[in-house]
Amino acid sequence: LGGGKAVIIGDPKKDKSEALFRAYGRFIESLNGRYISAEDVNISVSDIDHMYTETNYVCGVATAHGGSGNPAPYTALGVFRGMQASAMKTWGSKSLKDKVVGIQGIGSVGFELGKLINEDGGKLLYTDINEDNLARFRSEFPSATFVNPDDIYSVEMDIYAPCALG
């Protein structure tokens, strides 16, 4: 819960399984609390629940099991509050109304961030390389403007949110 990471090497579209995550959970358990795993890229609440059958040293367990569930809305809220604080310092108001906000990467966190910015009246620019993410974002935010991934750095905007992988 302080920046440590673990990596399971494989193709998440082909290699994910209950058995894999349960084995990973047993490994985490063997560390006796020296490491606590959590949801991240390509890891879902369902995957966390499989780990949870083997260890208590995991965060992001489904709310049905007493956990916090998907952390993306909380991460997005933290980013949004940072934007509001920056807006207050820069423009004298925490509102993002009519501010142009570019989101690079509209996966779990970027999508949730888009909701918050949209609700606050911000104008959304977005980019991603994942077609499923693009289709979902277009459906939810039809007035948002798509930007080619190579052009996101040169588009005029008030706030830039890098939510993509490196």
Side-chain angles (χ1 to χ4, degrees), residues 46-76:
S46 175
D47 300 329
I48 294 290
D49 285 349
H50 294 316
M51 291 180 226
Y52 185 59
T53 62
E54 304 292 340
T55 185
N56 287 322
Y57 301 114
V58 66
C59 294
V61 175
T63 55
H65 299 126
S68 60
N70 180 0
Y74 306 107
T75 303

PDB file of all heavy atoms in Angstrom, residues 46-76:
ATOM      1  N   SER A  46     -12.842  -9.491  -9.475  1.00  0.00           N
ATOM      2  CA  SER A  46     -13.004 -10.950  -9.510  1.00  0.00           C
ATOM      3  C   SER A  46     -11.658 -11.650  -9.283  1.00  0.00           C
ATOM      4  O   SER A  46     -11.578 -12.637  -8.546  1.00  0.00           O
ATOM      5  CB  SER A  46     -13.605 -11.379 -10.850  1.00  0.00           C
ATOM      6  OG  SER A  46     -13.658 -12.769 -10.953  1.00  0.00           O
ATOM      7  N   ASP A  47     -10.609 -11.148  -9.914  1.00  0.00           N
ATOM      8  CA  ASP A  47      -9.270 -11.716  -9.713  1.00  0.00           C
ATOM      9  C   ASP A  47      -8.834 -11.560  -8.263  1.00  0.00           C
ATOM     10  O   ASP A  47      -8.269 -12.488  -7.664  1.00  0.00           O
ATOM     11  CB  ASP A  47      -8.248 -11.028 -10.621  1.00  0.00           C
ATOM     12  CG  ASP A  47      -8.574 -11.167 -12.095  1.00  0.00           C
ATOM     13  OD1 ASP A  47      -9.170 -12.192 -12.499  1.00  0.00           O
ATOM     14  OD2 ASP A  47      -8.233 -10.236 -12.858  1.00  0.00           O
ATOM     15  N   ILE A  48      -9.100 -10.390  -7.689  1.00  0.00           N
ATOM     16  CA  ILE A  48      -8.768 -10.134  -6.284  1.00  0.00           C
ATOM     17  C   ILE A  48      -9.516 -11.118  -5.383  1.00  0.00           C
ATOM     18  O   ILE A  48      -8.960 -11.656  -4.426  1.00  0.00           O
ATOM     19  CB  ILE A  48      -9.107  -8.677  -5.897  1.00  0.00           C
ATOM     20  CG1 ILE A  48      -8.223  -7.690  -6.663  1.00  0.00           C
ATOM     21  CG2 ILE A  48      -9.013  -8.460  -4.396  1.00  0.00           C
ATOM     22  CD1 ILE A  48      -6.772  -7.678  -6.262  1.00  0.00           C
ATOM     23  N   ASP A  49     -10.772 -11.363  -5.700  1.00  0.00           N
ATOM     24  CA  ASP A  49     -11.559 -12.306  -4.894  1.00  0.00           C
ATOM     25  C   ASP A  49     -10.953 -13.705  -4.922  1.00  0.00           C
ATOM     26  O   ASP A  49     -10.963 -14.411  -3.915  1.00  0.00           O
ATOM     27  CB  ASP A  49     -13.005 -12.343  -5.368  1.00  0.00           C
ATOM     28  CG  ASP A  49     -13.799 -11.120  -4.935  1.00  0.00           C
ATOM     29  OD1 ASP A  49     -13.302 -10.340  -4.096  1.00  0.00           O
ATOM     30  OD2 ASP A  49     -14.923 -10.951  -5.447  1.00  0.00           O
ATOM     31  N   HIS A  50     -10.390 -14.117  -6.062  1.00  0.00           N
ATOM     32  CA  HIS A  50      -9.718 -15.422  -6.128  1.00  0.00           C
ATOM     33  C   HIS A  50      -8.493 -15.436  -5.206  1.00  0.00           C
ATOM     34  O   HIS A  50      -8.250 -16.416  -4.503  1.00  0.00           O
ATOM     35  CB  HIS A  50      -9.310 -15.769  -7.559  1.00  0.00           C
ATOM     36  CG  HIS A  50     -10.454 -15.993  -8.489  1.00  0.00           C
ATOM     37  ND1 HIS A  50     -11.563 -16.736  -8.168  1.00  0.00           N
ATOM     38  CD2 HIS A  50     -10.663 -15.552  -9.753  1.00  0.00           C
ATOM     39  CE1 HIS A  50     -12.397 -16.756  -9.181  1.00  0.00           C
ATOM     40  NE2 HIS A  50     -11.876 -16.034 -10.151  1.00  0.00           N
ATOM     41  N   MET A  51      -7.743 -14.335  -5.207  1.00  0.00           N
ATOM     42  CA  MET A  51      -6.580 -14.243  -4.303  1.00  0.00           C
ATOM     43  C   MET A  51      -7.032 -14.302  -2.851  1.00  0.00           C
ATOM     44  O   MET A  51      -6.383 -14.936  -2.014  1.00  0.00           O
ATOM     45  CB  MET A  51      -5.825 -12.918  -4.527  1.00  0.00           C
ATOM     46  CG  MET A  51      -5.118 -12.798  -5.833  1.00  0.00           C
ATOM     47  SD  MET A  51      -4.293 -11.185  -5.885  1.00  0.00           S
ATOM     48  CE  MET A  51      -4.760 -10.655  -7.505  1.00  0.00           C
ATOM     49  N   TYR A  52      -8.137 -13.624  -2.581  1.00  0.00           N
ATOM     50  CA  TYR A  52      -8.659 -13.512  -1.220  1.00  0.00           C
ATOM     51  C   TYR A  52      -9.043 -14.878  -0.638  1.00  0.00           C
ATOM     52  O   TYR A  52      -9.037 -15.053   0.576  1.00  0.00           O
ATOM     53  CB  TYR A  52      -9.853 -12.565  -1.230  1.00  0.00           C
ATOM     54  CG  TYR A  52     -10.445 -12.236   0.115  1.00  0.00           C
ATOM     55  CD1 TYR A  52      -9.675 -11.639   1.117  1.00  0.00           C
ATOM     56  CD2 TYR A  52     -11.782 -12.498   0.378  1.00  0.00           C
ATOM     57  CE1 TYR A  52     -10.227 -11.314   2.340  1.00  0.00           C
ATOM     58  CE2 TYR A  52     -12.347 -12.176   1.604  1.00  0.00           C
ATOM     59  CZ  TYR A  52     -11.566 -11.587   2.579  1.00  0.00           C
ATOM     60  OH  TYR A  52     -12.122 -11.271   3.794  1.00  0.00           O
ATOM     61  N   THR A  53      -9.314 -15.859  -1.487  1.00  0.00           N
ATOM     62  CA  THR A  53      -9.601 -17.207  -0.974  1.00  0.00           C
ATOM     63  C   THR A  53      -8.368 -17.839  -0.347  1.00  0.00           C
ATOM     64  O   THR A  53      -8.479 -18.785   0.428  1.00  0.00           O
ATOM     65  CB  THR A  53     -10.145 -18.143  -2.080  1.00  0.00           C
ATOM     66  OG1 THR A  53      -9.161 -18.287  -3.100  1.00  0.00           O
ATOM     67  CG2 THR A  53     -11.440 -17.624  -2.664  1.00  0.00           C
ATOM     68  N   GLU A  54      -7.185 -17.292  -0.663  1.00  0.00           N
ATOM     69  CA  GLU A  54      -5.920 -17.848  -0.179  1.00  0.00           C
ATOM     70  C   GLU A  54      -5.184 -16.950   0.813  1.00  0.00           C
ATOM     71  O   GLU A  54      -4.277 -17.408   1.500  1.00  0.00           O
ATOM     72  CB  GLU A  54      -4.995 -18.151  -1.363  1.00  0.00           C
ATOM     73  CG  GLU A  54      -5.594 -19.067  -2.416  1.00  0.00           C
ATOM     74  CD  GLU A  54      -5.799 -20.502  -1.932  1.00  0.00           C
ATOM     75  OE1 GLU A  54      -5.151 -20.905  -0.941  1.00  0.00           O
ATOM     76  OE2 GLU A  54      -6.600 -21.219  -2.556  1.00  0.00           O
ATOM     77  N   THR A  55      -5.525 -15.652   0.832  1.00  0.00           N
ATOM     78  CA  THR A  55      -4.804 -14.716   1.698  1.00  0.00           C
ATOM     79  C   THR A  55      -5.689 -13.547   2.114  1.00  0.00           C
ATOM     80  O   THR A  55      -6.586 -13.155   1.367  1.00  0.00           O
ATOM     81  CB  THR A  55      -3.536 -14.169   1.008  1.00  0.00           C
ATOM     82  OG1 THR A  55      -2.816 -13.359   1.935  1.00  0.00           O
ATOM     83  CG2 THR A  55      -3.854 -13.362  -0.233  1.00  0.00           C
ATOM     84  N   ASN A  56      -5.423 -13.006   3.276  1.00  0.00           N
ATOM     85  CA  ASN A  56      -6.078 -11.779   3.711  1.00  0.00           C
ATOM     86  C   ASN A  56      -5.259 -10.543   3.322  1.00  0.00           C
ATOM     87  O   ASN A  56      -5.713  -9.424   3.535  1.00  0.00           O
ATOM     88  CB  ASN A  56      -6.275 -11.776   5.231  1.00  0.00           C
ATOM     89  CG  ASN A  56      -7.366 -12.733   5.649  1.00  0.00           C
ATOM     90  OD1 ASN A  56      -8.381 -12.881   4.981  1.00  0.00           O
ATOM     91  ND2 ASN A  56      -7.154 -13.401   6.763  1.00  0.00           N
ATOM     92  N   TYR A  57      -4.074 -10.758   2.782  1.00  0.00           N
ATOM     93  CA  TYR A  57      -3.176  -9.657   2.449  1.00  0.00           C
ATOM     94  C   TYR A  57      -3.438  -9.140   1.035  1.00  0.00           C
ATOM     95  O   TYR A  57      -2.560  -9.146   0.165  1.00  0.00           O
ATOM     96  CB  TYR A  57      -1.716 -10.078   2.612  1.00  0.00           C
ATOM     97  CG  TYR A  57      -1.391 -10.540   4.006  1.00  0.00           C
ATOM     98  CD1 TYR A  57      -1.044 -11.863   4.247  1.00  0.00           C
ATOM     99  CD2 TYR A  57      -1.455  -9.664   5.083  1.00  0.00           C
ATOM    100  CE1 TYR A  57      -0.755 -12.299   5.532  1.00  0.00           C
ATOM    101  CE2 TYR A  57      -1.170 -10.093   6.369  1.00  0.00           C
ATOM    102  CZ  TYR A  57      -0.826 -11.415   6.583  1.00  0.00           C
ATOM    103  OH  TYR A  57      -0.538 -11.835   7.862  1.00  0.00           O
ATOM    104  N   VAL A  58      -4.672  -8.714   0.806  1.00  0.00           N
ATOM    105  CA  VAL A  58      -5.069  -8.198  -0.492  1.00  0.00           C
ATOM    106  C   VAL A  58      -6.136  -7.130  -0.290  1.00  0.00           C
ATOM    107  O   VAL A  58      -6.959  -7.229   0.610  1.00  0.00           O
ATOM    108  CB  VAL A  58      -5.562  -9.346  -1.411  1.00  0.00           C
ATOM    109  CG1 VAL A  58      -6.824  -9.974  -0.901  1.00  0.00           C
ATOM    110  CG2 VAL A  58      -5.716  -8.895  -2.835  1.00  0.00           C
ATOM    111  N   CYS A  59      -6.061  -6.072  -1.094  1.00  0.00           N
ATOM    112  CA  CYS A  59      -7.046  -4.979  -1.038  1.00  0.00           C
ATOM    113  C   CYS A  59      -7.842  -4.959  -2.335  1.00  0.00           C
ATOM    114  O   CYS A  59      -7.353  -5.385  -3.375  1.00  0.00           O
ATOM    115  CB  CYS A  59      -6.340  -3.633  -0.887  1.00  0.00           C
ATOM    116  SG  CYS A  59      -5.496  -3.453   0.676  1.00  0.00           S
ATOM    117  N   GLY A  60      -9.040  -4.412  -2.250  1.00  0.00           N
ATOM    118  CA  GLY A  60      -9.890  -4.329  -3.437  1.00  0.00           C
ATOM    119  C   GLY A  60     -10.832  -5.494  -3.565  1.00  0.00           C
ATOM    120  O   GLY A  60     -11.381  -5.748  -4.637  1.00  0.00           O
ATOM    121  N   VAL A  61     -11.026  -6.219  -2.469  1.00  0.00           N
ATOM    122  CA  VAL A  61     -11.969  -7.344  -2.450  1.00  0.00           C
ATOM    123  C   VAL A  61     -13.368  -6.785  -2.716  1.00  0.00           C
ATOM    124  O   VAL A  61     -13.678  -5.643  -2.378  1.00  0.00           O
ATOM    125  CB  VAL A  61     -11.902  -8.052  -1.071  1.00  0.00           C
ATOM    126  CG1 VAL A  61     -12.945  -9.139  -0.945  1.00  0.00           C
ATOM    127  CG2 VAL A  61     -10.501  -8.604  -0.845  1.00  0.00           C
ATOM    128  N   ALA A  62     -14.223  -7.594  -3.306  1.00  0.00           N
ATOM    129  CA  ALA A  62     -15.590  -7.174  -3.627  1.00  0.00           C
ATOM    130  C   ALA A  62     -16.306  -6.663  -2.383  1.00  0.00           C
ATOM    131  O   ALA A  62     -16.085  -7.151  -1.273  1.00  0.00           O
ATOM    132  CB  ALA A  62     -16.376  -8.335  -4.237  1.00  0.00           C
ATOM    133  N   THR A  63     -17.165  -5.674  -2.574  1.00  0.00           N
ATOM    134  CA  THR A  63     -17.932  -5.119  -1.453  1.00  0.00           C
ATOM    135  C   THR A  63     -18.807  -6.185  -0.810  1.00  0.00           C
ATOM    136  O   THR A  63     -19.061  -6.131   0.390  1.00  0.00           O
ATOM    137  CB  THR A  63     -18.791  -3.926  -1.906  1.00  0.00           C
ATOM    138  OG1 THR A  63     -19.617  -4.332  -3.003  1.00  0.00           O
ATOM    139  CG2 THR A  63     -17.911  -2.757  -2.334  1.00  0.00           C
ATOM    140  N   ALA A  64     -19.224  -7.178  -1.586  1.00  0.00           N
ATOM    141  CA  ALA A  64     -20.034  -8.275  -1.045  1.00  0.00           C
ATOM    142  C   ALA A  64     -19.273  -9.074   0.006  1.00  0.00           C
ATOM    143  O   ALA A  64     -19.875  -9.714   0.866  1.00  0.00           O
ATOM    144  CB  ALA A  64     -20.490  -9.203  -2.172  1.00  0.00           C
ATOM    145  N   HIS A  65     -17.937  -9.021  -0.058  1.00  0.00           N
ATOM    146  CA  HIS A  65     -17.091  -9.721   0.917  1.00  0.00           C
ATOM    147  C   HIS A  65     -16.513  -8.757   1.951  1.00  0.00           C
ATOM    148  O   HIS A  65     -15.539  -9.088   2.629  1.00  0.00           O
ATOM    149  CB  HIS A  65     -15.956 -10.462   0.211  1.00  0.00           C
ATOM    150  CG  HIS A  65     -16.437 -11.501  -0.742  1.00  0.00           C
ATOM    151  ND1 HIS A  65     -16.038 -11.534  -2.055  1.00  0.00           N
ATOM    152  CD2 HIS A  65     -17.310 -12.526  -0.589  1.00  0.00           C
ATOM    153  CE1 HIS A  65     -16.632 -12.539  -2.671  1.00  0.00           C
ATOM    154  NE2 HIS A  65     -17.410 -13.152  -1.803  1.00  0.00           N
ATOM    155  N   GLY A  66     -17.050  -7.551   2.012  1.00  0.00           N
ATOM    156  CA  GLY A  66     -16.581  -6.579   2.999  1.00  0.00           C
ATOM    157  C   GLY A  66     -15.435  -5.711   2.538  1.00  0.00           C
ATOM    158  O   GLY A  66     -14.872  -4.953   3.325  1.00  0.00           O
ATOM    159  N   GLY A  67     -15.080  -5.806   1.268  1.00  0.00           N
ATOM    160  CA  GLY A  67     -13.967  -5.011   0.760  1.00  0.00           C
ATOM    161  C   GLY A  67     -14.414  -3.698   0.147  1.00  0.00           C
ATOM    162  O   GLY A  67     -15.589  -3.332   0.193  1.00  0.00           O
ATOM    163  N   SER A  68     -13.468  -3.011  -0.457  1.00  0.00           N
ATOM    164  CA  SER A  68     -13.733  -1.704  -1.064  1.00  0.00           C
ATOM    165  C   SER A  68     -14.088  -1.798  -2.536  1.00  0.00           C
ATOM    166  O   SER A  68     -14.521  -0.823  -3.133  1.00  0.00           O
ATOM    167  CB  SER A  68     -12.515  -0.800  -0.895  1.00  0.00           C
ATOM    168  OG  SER A  68     -11.388  -1.392  -1.517  1.00  0.00           O
ATOM    169  N   GLY A  69     -13.888  -2.966  -3.145  1.00  0.00           N
ATOM    170  CA  GLY A  69     -14.199  -3.124  -4.567  1.00  0.00           C
ATOM    171  C   GLY A  69     -13.192  -2.424  -5.462  1.00  0.00           C
ATOM    172  O   GLY A  69     -12.048  -2.201  -5.088  1.00  0.00           O
ATOM    173  N   ASN A  70     -13.649  -2.052  -6.632  1.00  0.00           N
ATOM    174  CA  ASN A  70     -12.813  -1.423  -7.648  1.00  0.00           C
ATOM    175  C   ASN A  70     -12.262  -0.087  -7.133  1.00  0.00           C
ATOM    176  O   ASN A  70     -13.027   0.816  -6.808  1.00  0.00           O
ATOM    177  CB  ASN A  70     -13.658  -1.203  -8.906  1.00  0.00           C
ATOM    178  CG  ASN A  70     -12.893  -0.548 -10.034  1.00  0.00           C
ATOM    179  OD1 ASN A  70     -11.714  -0.244  -9.926  1.00  0.00           O
ATOM    180  ND2 ASN A  70     -13.575  -0.327 -11.139  1.00  0.00           N
ATOM    181  N   PRO A  71     -10.928   0.090  -7.120  1.00  0.00           N
ATOM    182  CA  PRO A  71     -10.360   1.339  -6.611  1.00  0.00           C
ATOM    183  C   PRO A  71     -10.378   2.492  -7.612  1.00  0.00           C
ATOM    184  O   PRO A  71     -10.106   3.629  -7.235  1.00  0.00           O
ATOM    185  CB  PRO A  71      -8.918   0.957  -6.271  1.00  0.00           C
ATOM    186  CG  PRO A  71      -8.603  -0.124  -7.253  1.00  0.00           C
ATOM    187  CD  PRO A  71      -9.897  -0.903  -7.412  1.00  0.00           C
ATOM    188  N   ALA A  72     -10.704   2.235  -8.871  1.00  0.00           N
ATOM    189  CA  ALA A  72     -10.628   3.283  -9.899  1.00  0.00           C
ATOM    190  C   ALA A  72     -11.446   4.525  -9.551  1.00  0.00           C
ATOM    191  O   ALA A  72     -10.954   5.649  -9.736  1.00  0.00           O
ATOM    192  CB  ALA A  72     -11.027   2.731 -11.262  1.00  0.00           C
ATOM    193  N   PRO A  73     -12.680   4.398  -9.053  1.00  0.00           N
ATOM    194  CA  PRO A  73     -13.424   5.619  -8.721  1.00  0.00           C
ATOM    195  C   PRO A  73     -12.736   6.455  -7.645  1.00  0.00           C
ATOM    196  O   PRO A  73     -12.778   7.692  -7.689  1.00  0.00           O
ATOM    197  CB  PRO A  73     -14.783   5.102  -8.220  1.00  0.00           C
ATOM    198  CG  PRO A  73     -14.930   3.755  -8.833  1.00  0.00           C
ATOM    199  CD  PRO A  73     -13.533   3.202  -8.908  1.00  0.00           C
ATOM    200  N   TYR A  74     -12.077   5.805  -6.695  1.00  0.00           N
ATOM    201  CA  TYR A  74     -11.388   6.531  -5.631  1.00  0.00           C
ATOM    202  C   TYR A  74     -10.119   7.201  -6.154  1.00  0.00           C
ATOM    203  O   TYR A  74      -9.799   8.332  -5.778  1.00  0.00           O
ATOM    204  CB  TYR A  74     -11.056   5.600  -4.465  1.00  0.00           C
ATOM    205  CG  TYR A  74     -12.271   4.879  -3.946  1.00  0.00           C
ATOM    206  CD1 TYR A  74     -12.447   3.517  -4.195  1.00  0.00           C
ATOM    207  CD2 TYR A  74     -13.249   5.555  -3.235  1.00  0.00           C
ATOM    208  CE1 TYR A  74     -13.581   2.851  -3.732  1.00  0.00           C
ATOM    209  CE2 TYR A  74     -14.382   4.905  -2.770  1.00  0.00           C
ATOM    210  CZ  TYR A  74     -14.541   3.557  -3.028  1.00  0.00           C
ATOM    211  OH  TYR A  74     -15.662   2.908  -2.579  1.00  0.00           O
ATOM    212  N   THR A  75      -9.402   6.508  -7.033  1.00  0.00           N
ATOM    213  CA  THR A  75      -8.211   7.087  -7.649  1.00  0.00           C
ATOM    214  C   THR A  75      -8.603   8.299  -8.479  1.00  0.00           C
ATOM    215  O   THR A  75      -7.975   9.360  -8.397  1.00  0.00           O
ATOM    216  CB  THR A  75      -7.489   6.044  -8.524  1.00  0.00           C
ATOM    217  OG1 THR A  75      -7.157   4.911  -7.721  1.00  0.00           O
ATOM    218  CG2 THR A  75      -6.231   6.622  -9.163  1.00  0.00           C
ATOM    219  N   ALA A  76      -9.659   8.141  -9.283  1.00  0.00           N
ATOM    220  CA  ALA A  76     -10.136   9.252 -10.118  1.00  0.00           C
ATOM    221  C   ALA A  76     -10.568  10.435  -9.257  1.00  0.00           C
ATOM    222  O   ALA A  76     -10.293  11.592  -9.602  1.00  0.00           O
ATOM    223  CB  ALA A  76     -11.288   8.788 -11.006  1.00  0.00           C
TER     224      ALA A  76
END
